[in-house]
Amino acid sequence: MTDTHHLLDIIESTETQSTLTALGDSWLLGFDTETTGAAPGNDAIVSATLVLRNPQTGHEDDTISEWLINPHRHISAGASRVNGFTDSFVQEHGAEPKETLEEISAAIVAAQERNIPLLAYNAPFDVKMLQGDLQRWRCDSGITDALENDRLLVVDPLVIDRAVSHRSGKRTLSATTEYYGVDPYGDFHDATADTIAAVDLVTPMSTLYPQVGHLALGDLMEWQRSAHRTWKESFNRWLESKGRRPIREGWFE
């Protein structure tokens, strides 16, 4: 593992990628969080990981930074069962939120300035959790500005998989990695293991579905928004056929 300053140094030494760079050839900054619960804005991050992936060298050369945070929020029983964290543990071992969140944000913003996408599985959840914490602690950050001005560059393997695989069954991270033959480094629901697994999905996705690997970074956001809209329309028809309420959320729009 590396410290935050080393991660930032490596990002800042990386050349800015072209909008024509293909996803399969792109540097990626993986991101995942474990949280006190599932409500962005009310719940908070207790652990986070960033994984910088060089497409030329792969996992063995990953730059990984991890954070454990005292959220000053109660961890729900359900979240604790999933991620293994307890209030007493994070209060004793976790860092204070403001400085930690600003470190995470600074690394993401530096990557965005170099056209390095932020990759997260079900990305709106993790980004909204981070945004909520940044606002709660009144942190200096360019992420909120990027979101408000439609400038955040994101890769979401969940959205991509829904668009190309047309498979049945669950689309949890563990089920999706199994489908693509990705072996996790560690246990799922650990922020680092989940981040690496999500980043690892890009290569087999690009191999099995070449149109994914050929996606230009400049087209990536609109392609994913369109893919999400198509999936949402289909899923809502199914929900309505079961008498259930349709979903309304868009994907970074």
Side-chain angles (χ1 to χ4, degrees), residues 19 44 47 86 104 107 113 121 137 155 174 187 200 216 238 244:
T19 56
S47 75
T86 63
I104 297 169
E113 289 172 348
Y121 198 85
W137 295 101
V155 177
S174 58
D187 299 323
D200 282 347
W238 180 83
R244 295 166 60 183

Side-chain angles (χ1 to χ4, degrees), residues 55-250:
Q56 301 303 316
T57 54
H59 170 70
E60 296 304 319
D61 196 40
D62 282 348
T63 303
I64 302 172
S65 287
E66 301 173 317
W67 294 265
L68 179 67
I69 304 172
N70 178 3
H72 295 272
R73 287 281 194 282
H74 170 63
I75 303 175
S76 70
S80 184
R81 283 193 297 271
V82 169
N83 60 42
F85 291 113
T86 63
D87 290 339
S88 60
F89 182 84
V90 296
Q91 287 164 10
E92 180 178 355
H93 300 286
E96 287 302 300
K98 191 175 192 302
E99 181 178 351
T100 306
L101 293 163
E102 287 178 347
E103 289 177 354
I104 297 169
S105 175
I108 294 172
V109 169
Q112 292 286 305
E113 289 172 348
R114 287 153 184 80
N115 218 30
I116 298 174
L118 184 69
L119 184 148
Y121 198 85
N122 190 23
F125 174 80
D126 295 289
V127 172
K128 288 176 182 176
M129 289 298 306
L130 178 59
Q131 185 180 21
D133 276 2
L134 290 168
Q135 291 172 345
R136 178 182 300 117
W137 295 101
R138 299 181 181 179
C139 299
D140 294 328
S141 169
I143 293 178
T144 298
D145 180 64
L147 284 167
E148 291 175 350
N149 292 281
D150 192 25
R151 293 200 307 267
L152 200 67
L153 180 61
V154 177
V155 177
D156 191 336
L158 173 60
V159 170
I160 295 172
D161 177 56
R162 284 171 174 163
V164 297
S165 70
H166 305 296
R167 61 189 173 86
S168 60
K170 295 181 179 179
R171 293 183 190 264
T172 60
L173 178 59
S174 58
T176 303
T177 54
E178 182 179 357
Y179 175 77
Y180 286 98
V182 169
D183 294 323
Y185 292 88
D187 299 323
F188 288 112
H189 300 301
D190 168 89
T192 299
D194 285 0
T195 308
I196 294 171
V199 174
D200 282 347
L201 284 169
V202 171
T203 296
M205 280 182 168
S206 299
T207 301
L208 193 56
Y209 304 104
Q211 66 269 38
V212 172
H214 294 154
L215 274 171
L217 296 184
D219 299 328
L220 189 58
M221 293 302 289
E222 188 50 45
W223 188 94
Q224 290 174 106
R225 289 189 185 104
S226 177
H228 179 79
R229 291 186 206 111
T230 300
W231 168 81
K232 184 172 71 171
E233 290 170 2
S234 174
F235 188 57
N236 278 344
R237 286 194 294 271
W238 180 83
L239 288 174
E240 289 168 356
S241 74
K242 304 295 183 181
R244 295 166 60 183
R245 183 180 302 175
I247 61 172
R248 303 296 183 191
E249 296 82 6

